[in-house]
Amino acid sequence: MAREISAVPDVVERQLALAMDHYLEAGRMLGRRAPACVVTCARGSSDHAATYFKYLVETRIGIPVGSMGPSVASIYETPLKMANVPLVSISQSGASADIVALQRAARAGGAPTLALTNTARSTLARQAEICLALHAGEERAVAATKTFVSSLVALAALVAGWLDDVDLAAAIRGLPARLAEAAATDWTAAMAPFAAGGSLYIVARGPGFAVACEAALKLKETCRLHAEAYSAAELRHGPIELAGDDLTALVFAARDRSAAGIGEATRALHQAGAAVFVAGPRETLPTVEAGHVLLDPICQVVSFYRFAEQLSLLLGRDPDRPARLAKVTVTT
């Protein structure tokens, strides 16, 4: 896991050299089709990447993005009516039978199908109308890191092409240098409080919520810590009641319009007695600005990955080989 996190800048540099133009053209294709909505299909870390895509499309393009459960096709065998409703499937392995089944049903129902995968010869890739290869190379650690980052990069580029946004495209091309900085950040200040156990909240909003979800999953996978992700807006709808001196919270700061709401949630957690650590460019847990506000979460997650790997070792865990998990999860 440590080697794969360190490789992220080079992986993204290679990915952009090989596939950036393809991602942009796929985005332009979506723009020409002018769909009324988009559907995503993914599980685990890939579903968190889909959440990132959802916020980018909904906030910048203004059309809804919904996540469809693969069991609609794989278990319930429902015929789908999806004419001109693009399905974006995200799977690092491209081997999950249920995701393949949903893509097949969606295409039969008239959907344009795009598959993001790190395995270009997988069934998911071969059966999609368009395959967007991630070019991340082999990932050996069970907990996905470089493939998740590559997924975010590809999805951001897809949106840049859809919008014909030259500023966003330029910032994406500049990501490798920013990611190298992100991989070198020091989050030692949070190590002991997180290692102490207890309940953990991971809080963000907007595109950063995808990183909060991913962080909570990685803490479960690599550290066997119970962590839950919440939108800053959702804390007041129940979860804040659990906040107290036995709760530790990681808050991902933002530079967009969600900043005020995130700040309010941070203050509420402090007032409730929680130990709160904020990840941001000028915060206790330093992060790197990405050159474009939409890309900040990509830098944030790389800094978090380094922290999670080190925390796992501190706890006596093996971050590369969680006891009950496998690299490829095949679901039906």
Side-chain angles (χ1 to χ4, degrees), residues 8-9 11-24 49-50 52-53 56 90 116 132-136 145-161 168-169 171-176 179 290 294-295 297-299 301-302:
V8 164
V11 165
V12 172
E13 185 172 21
R14 180 176 67 247
Q15 176 190 18
L16 295 175
L18 293 172
M20 179 68 171
D21 291 342
H22 185 43
Y23 299 155
L24 293 172
Y52 176 71
F53 179 66
L56 265 57
I90 309 169
L116 275 74
L132 302 179
L134 299 180
H135 298 289
T145 54
K146 63 180 182 174
T147 53
F148 178 74
V149 174
S150 296
S151 297
L152 299 188
V153 171
L155 291 165
L158 192 66
V159 171
L168 177 56
I172 293 169
R173 294 186 191 278
L175 267 175
L179 294 173
L294 293 181
L295 306 179
I298 303 179
C299 289
V301 80
V302 171

Side-chain angles (χ1 to χ4, degrees), residues 5-331:
I5 296 166
S6 296
V8 164
D10 290 339
V11 165
V12 172
E13 185 172 21
R14 180 176 67 247
Q15 176 190 18
L16 295 175
L18 293 172
M20 179 68 171
D21 291 342
H22 185 43
Y23 299 155
L24 293 172
E25 181 51 39
R28 295 186 193 105
M29 179 275 290
L30 287 174
R32 290 191 295 269
R33 288 180 180 265
C37 62
V38 178
V39 171
T40 63
C41 177
R43 291 199 187 279
S45 290
S46 294
D47 198 37
H48 304 155
T51 297
Y52 176 71
F53 179 66
K54 170 186 174 70
Y55 275 102
L56 265 57
V57 172
E58 291 182 347
T59 61
R60 295 304 173 108
I61 300 173
I63 65 172
V65 178
S67 174
M68 182 174 284
S71 62
V72 169
S74 64
I75 294 178
Y76 297 103
E77 299 181 344
T78 306
L80 302 178
K81 303 175 182 66
M82 295 183 62
N84 202 37
V85 177
L87 176 76
V88 178
S89 301
I90 309 169
S91 171
Q92 294 146 23
S93 69
S96 290
D98 54 349
I99 294 176
V100 170
L102 182 60
Q103 180 181 260
R104 187 181 299 120
R107 191 166 187 180
T113 53
L114 290 79
L116 275 74
T117 179
N118 197 40
T119 311
R121 296 182 180 180
S122 64
T123 303
L124 188 74
R126 288 186 286 102
Q127 293 186 358
E129 181 180 339
I130 296 174
C131 174
L132 302 179
L134 299 180
H135 298 289
E138 183 184 7
E139 190 172 57
R140 295 187 177 183
V142 170
T145 54
K146 63 180 182 174
T147 53
F148 178 74
V149 174
S150 296
S151 297
L152 299 188
V153 171
L155 291 165
L158 192 66
V159 171
W162 192 337
L163 290 169
D164 196 21
D165 188 330
V166 294
D167 291 335
L168 177 56
I172 293 169
R173 294 186 191 278
L175 267 175
R178 305 297 178 99
L179 294 173
E181 295 178 39
T185 53
D186 182 3
W187 286 20
T188 304
M191 201 68 68
F194 273 70
S199 296
L200 301 173
Y201 277 2
I202 317 297
V203 179
R205 200 170 183 184
F209 181 59
V211 171
C213 293
E214 174 66 3
L217 176 63
K218 285 297 179 289
L219 289 170
K220 296 181 181 83
E221 288 179 326
T222 65
C223 301
R224 295 191 72 183
L225 293 173
H226 182 219
E228 297 298 333
Y230 288 105
S231 162
E234 291 293 336
L235 282 178
R236 294 287 192 182
H237 292 266
I240 194 66
E241 186 64 22
L242 294 180
D245 58 11
D246 59 344
L247 177 75
T248 302
L250 168 60
V251 178
F252 286 101
R255 294 188 292 147
D256 63 13
R257 295 184 180 184
S258 70
I262 294 172
E264 181 182 344
T266 302
R267 289 188 292 274
L269 287 164
H270 272 300
Q271 291 167 3
V276 184
F277 294 87
V278 180
R282 287 162 291 279
E283 302 291 349
T284 305
L285 306 183
T287 61
V288 175
E289 293 183 357
H292 193 292
V293 66
L294 293 181
L295 306 179
D296 284 354
I298 303 179
C299 289
Q300 288 176 334
V301 80
V302 171
S303 295
F304 169 79
Y305 281 154
R306 177 70 70 194
F307 169 73
E309 189 271 339
Q310 294 171 345
L311 179 61
S312 178
L313 294 175
L314 178 65
L315 291 168
R317 307 292 181 190
D318 183 349
D320 297 337
R321 301 173 187 83
R324 299 176 181 86
L325 301 176
K327 182 60 187 170
V328 177
T329 304
V330 179
T331 48

